[in-house]
Amino acid sequence: MCIVSINVPEEILLDLHENKNDFAEYMKRMLAVDLYENKKVSLGYCASVAEMTKEDFIKYLGKRDISIFSFDSREEFLEELANA
């Protein structure tokens, strides 16, 4: 695991009423969501970045209306639906 640090003005944490651990957790999850939405890495890697299980990360995405299903065309969706 690689450790990356960023400097955040303490005023932001005060304004958000968060401690640095909660803010760090939020930032990891937002990074994971961004990586997933932009198809940079796999769902499993994103879950790892967010420090969540795959199942919990999928639920987290769902709460934000982000689908784990991606189809290139309507036909591909219908074919997958027929195979379900």
Side-chain angles (χ1 to χ4, degrees), residues 13-27:
L13 299 179
L14 292 172
D15 288 346
L16 296 173
H17 305 289
E18 290 194 12
N19 63 43
K20 48 185 177 172
N21 291 334
D22 292 339
F23 189 73
E25 182 178 300
Y26 170 79
M27 292 301 295

Side-chain angles (χ1 to χ4, degrees), residues 9-60:
E10 283 197 40
E11 292 80 9
I12 290 176
L13 299 179
L14 292 172
D15 288 346
L16 296 173
H17 305 289
E18 290 194 12
N19 63 43
K20 48 185 177 172
N21 291 334
D22 292 339
F23 189 73
E25 182 178 300
Y26 170 79
M27 292 301 295
K28 286 184 257 187
R29 289 180 177 184
M30 290 303 98
L31 173 60
V33 167
D34 183 72
L35 292 171
Y36 183 75
E37 284 188 305
N38 289 296
K39 298 178 176 138
K40 299 285 186 178
V41 294
S42 70
L43 179 72
Y45 279 135
C46 291
S48 179
V49 167
E51 296 183 345
M52 303 170 87
T53 65
K54 277 188 189 180
E55 182 180 332
D56 287 340
F57 188 65
I58 290 169
K59 289 177 185 176
Y60 186 80

